[in-house]
Amino acid sequence: MRATPGPWRTAAVLAAGLTALAACGSGGGGSGAGAGTPRTGGTLTFAVGSDAGCTDPQQVGSNDTIYSVRQFVDSLTDQDPATGRIVPWLAQSWTISRDARAFTFHLRPGVTFSDGSALTAEVVKANFDAVPKLGPLGLLAEGYLSGYQGTDIADPLTFTVRFKQPNAQFLQATATHSLGIEAAASVRKTPQQRCAGGVIGSGPFTLQKYVPNQSITLAARKGYAWGSSLWKKPGAAYLDRIVFKILPESGVRTGGLQSGQVDAIGSVGRADESALKASGVQLLARANPGVVFGLTPNNTRSPLDDEKVRQALALGIDRQQIAQTVFPAGTQPATSVLAHTTPGYVNVGAALGHDPARAKSLLQSDGWTPGSDGVLQKGGKKLSITATWGPVAATNQPTLELLQQQLRTIGVQLALKEQPVAQFARLQTSGNFDLLFGNLTRADPDILRSSYSSKLSNPYRLPATGLDDILDGQAAEPDQAKRLDLVAQAQRQLAQHAYTIPVVELQTELGVAKKVHGLLFDASSRIQLHDTWVG
């Protein structure tokens, strides 16, 4: 990758400094390693538990749907899951200004979208110009482009993305599905049209058919020749077709895999591990970087606008019991808002320890007293809170039921409300919730700013505090050591004030039939199916 004179330095130098943060400590891991000669053709049937109600990569945040949309949209760069290094994909090289405010990319020639249109600098500009207009519908993508000033085009294959302030996280963001590049025809559509199946990508597969809450069908792209530099197979994918079936019941997914009706399943539960292993199924697991599974309050809604109430909830949770009872083997209880595989993670476990006596004392000092049924009350109102959750993982409901039992012991009545995952963006926009249960995956600590800055979409209604300056600072800091320090400060403040209540780390575990080979995890513990084959 070439250097340019003056205030610029090569991507090889700056990317090494910025993306050393992103090494997650575990490799890509895959199915059927060394299992014979790959075969071309065939269909892979993959069962997932939920449907986000949208097939636009720039809007989708649910892992179950990301598995499919990742396959038909390419990104400017890719991220090595073993080292965290950013490597070429649609962009064959790039340079970054010393202040990390300008990023110049050089596109590969000859790339086309599935509608036949060419990938050009103008198309990339149109994508980036449109992302901020998605608002809360594109929460992740919008956060990655925070402070976006515009894109300057030097020639059909060269462009510079400019930001108002230093944006150290942007290079890694270009490797995510959220900033996957779509054809100009897709960009011109409304967000709703794109969700309903109107996205045209340049990826190795095309979106053939989408039936909400039933299936997403992909077809191989003939003539595909511009894959990520991490992929082993040049050119087109091995598979002819991929069908993602939405099967909400864990037992149905497991039975389908054992009977051969499906070839792979997501969200393997602890109770199913032994049976799957006994039937010869491969179990693939990788810890997800990013924000852990947790309860995040609407910080302006009573009684959760009271810091002592939030802190008591955090102290009333036995995370170890949840990890060992509900989740797959090897799952770790949360010790920070970030998973331990996330660059910049620090252990803030002291604020997240299980201490029901202290939780009760905090609530008592705050004026809460036991009612006749044991539920605390104050001013004639019970300490009753509703946790809203979506059926995106088989572990969600049993986790929340166990949380319900644990919090009852400190006098908190936790009601549970299931909502379709497709409703969550609207729910966050409206603010009509007490607690939301969920997680967000990203192999960069800037996920904290996307989620908790009061200056961005602020779906959890955090107040404007010094935390905003810390989050802005880490995003702008090109010095690795200084950025790590700011990331650590942010985690401590989030835990200290209980703006979010971490519960357990997400470990992605997949069940894969013996005949499936080369199914790989990417850096965000999602899947890449270009190199996958069956036989």
Side-chain angles (χ1 to χ4, degrees):
M1 299 182 186
R2 72 189 187 197
T4 56
W8 300 86
R9 45 180 162 172
T10 67
V13 175
L14 187 56
L18 297 180
T19 64
L21 287 170
C24 294
S26 58
S31 62
T37 303
R39 299 180 185 179
T40 299
T43 297
L44 177 76
T45 303
F46 196 118
V48 296
S50 65
D51 174 24
C54 182
T55 56
D56 179 12
Q58 293 179 3
Q59 297 182 64
V60 168
S62 170
N63 286 333
D64 280 352
T65 303
I66 291 169
Y67 291 157
S68 57
V69 301
R70 173 76 279 188
Q71 314 311 318
F72 58 78
V73 66
D74 293 329
S75 298
L76 291 176
T77 65
D78 203 355
Q79 185 173 12
D80 190 324
T83 67
R85 187 172 182 82
I86 304 300
V87 300
W89 193 345
L90 293 179
Q92 59 186 6
S93 65
W94 52 86
T95 53
I96 307 171
S97 64
R98 292 187 183 279
D99 62 2
R101 292 177 58 190
F103 298 72
T104 297
F105 294 89
H106 305 274
L107 294 172
R108 296 175 65 156
V111 177
T112 61
F113 295 94
S114 59
D115 65 352
S117 62
L119 170 69
T120 64
E122 191 69 50
V123 174
V124 178
K125 172 181 167 58
N127 272 260
F128 290 168
D129 286 352
V131 162
K133 300 174 186 176
L134 292 172
L137 298 175
L139 181 64
L140 293 175
E142 182 190 30
Y144 300 160
L145 285 171
S146 176
Y148 174 69
Q149 275 192 314
T151 298
D152 299 329
I153 298 173
D155 60 53
L157 297 179
T158 307
F159 61 92
T160 298
V161 184
R162 294 178 291 101
F163 294 90
K164 296 176 184 176
Q165 68 283 325
N167 194 359
Q169 59 83 39
F170 178 65
L171 185 62
Q172 190 277 334
T174 64
T176 66
H177 74 280
S178 300
L179 291 187
I181 306 302
E182 301 175 5
S186 289
V187 175
R188 288 193 291 267
K189 294 184 177 182
T190 68
Q192 292 73 26
Q193 289 173 329
R194 288 157 66 176
C195 269
V199 170
I200 300 165
S202 65
F205 294 90
T206 62
L207 179 59
Q208 190 175 56
K209 187 178 183 181
Y210 171 46
V211 183
N213 297 313
Q214 293 185 35
S215 64
I216 298 174
T217 302
L218 310 181
R221 172 93 187 273
K222 293 181 180 180
Y224 183 82
W226 40 83
S228 162
S229 57
L230 294 175
W231 298 351
K232 294 181 180 180
K233 183 184 186 299
Y238 288 115
L239 295 167
D240 287 336
R241 194 163 171 261
I242 307 171
V243 179
F244 288 88
K245 290 187 175 180
I246 290 85
L247 301 176
E249 296 296 328
S250 176
V252 175
R253 293 196 301 275
T254 298
L257 181 56
Q258 291 174 311
S259 66
Q261 292 177 302
V262 301
D263 305 312
I265 63 173
S267 300
V268 174
R270 178 184 286 268
D272 298 322
E273 289 176 333
S274 296
L276 289 171
K277 286 180 181 178
S279 62
V281 168
Q282 308 169 77
L283 295 181
L284 308 180
R286 189 176 190 272
N288 282 44
V291 174
V292 300
F293 265 120
L295 294 166
T296 304
N298 178 337
N299 285 269
T300 61
R301 189 160 175 163
S302 177
L304 294 165
D305 56 349
D306 185 334
E307 185 170 306
K308 287 187 177 180
V309 171
R310 301 195 304 267
Q311 290 170 333
L313 294 179
L315 293 167
I317 296 172
D318 187 344
R319 295 165 178 80
Q320 187 71 44
Q321 182 188 35
I322 291 170
Q324 293 181 345
T325 304
V326 177
F327 285 82
T331 298
Q332 296 191 25
T335 51
S336 175
V337 62
L338 292 177
H340 77 280
T341 52
T342 316
Y345 154 87
V346 293
N347 188 323
V348 295
L352 302 178
H354 181 221
D355 193 343
R358 187 176 164 215
K360 291 178 182 178
S361 177
L362 267 175
L363 293 171
Q364 182 180 5
S365 69
D366 201 32
W368 295 94
T369 57
S372 58
D373 57 359
V375 177
L376 296 174
Q377 58 182 5
K378 184 166 90 171
K381 292 185 178 181
K382 288 186 175 184
L383 187 44
S384 179
I385 303 167
T386 299
T388 302
W389 61 283
V392 296
T395 50
N396 278 6
Q397 184 168 345
T399 296
L400 285 157
E401 289 171 348
L402 190 48
L403 283 167
Q404 193 176 44
Q405 296 172 29
Q406 292 176 353
L407 294 176
R408 188 67 173 77
T409 65
I410 65 167
V412 177
Q413 181 174 279
L414 184 68
L416 306 182
K417 182 179 181 181
E418 180 182 353
Q419 285 273 46
V421 65
Q423 299 297 320
F424 267 62
R426 186 179 302 169
L427 195 64
Q428 289 176 316
T429 301
S430 70
N432 188 26
F433 65 91
D434 292 339
L435 292 162
L436 293 181
F437 183 75
N439 80 301
L440 278 176
T441 295
R442 188 187 178 190
D444 189 277
D446 193 61
I447 192 70
L448 296 178
R449 183 174 62 96
S450 303
S451 301
Y452 306 116
S453 172
S454 72
K455 296 180 179 180
L456 299 180
S457 296
N458 197 16
Y460 305 112
R461 276 62 176 177
L462 271 70
T465 66
L467 176 63
D468 289 331
D469 294 334
I470 295 172
L471 293 172
D472 287 347
Q474 65 79 29
E477 182 52 70
D479 183 277
Q480 179 179 337
K482 292 178 181 178
R483 187 181 182 209
L484 285 172
D485 181 63
L486 290 167
V487 170
Q489 289 181 45
Q491 290 167 82
R492 294 188 183 102
Q493 284 209 21
L494 284 163
Q496 176 187 344
H497 298 288
Y499 291 133
T500 185
I501 303 166
V503 176
V504 65
E505 294 190 0
L506 171 63
Q507 177 175 269
T508 294
E509 185 167 39
L510 309 177
V512 183
K514 278 186 175 180
K515 69 175 183 178
V516 178
H517 310 277
L519 193 157
L520 301 173
F521 285 119
D522 66 13
S524 295
S525 298
R526 279 109 181 204
I527 55 173
Q528 179 53 252
L529 298 175
H530 175 272
D531 288 347
T532 303
W533 58 280
V534 294

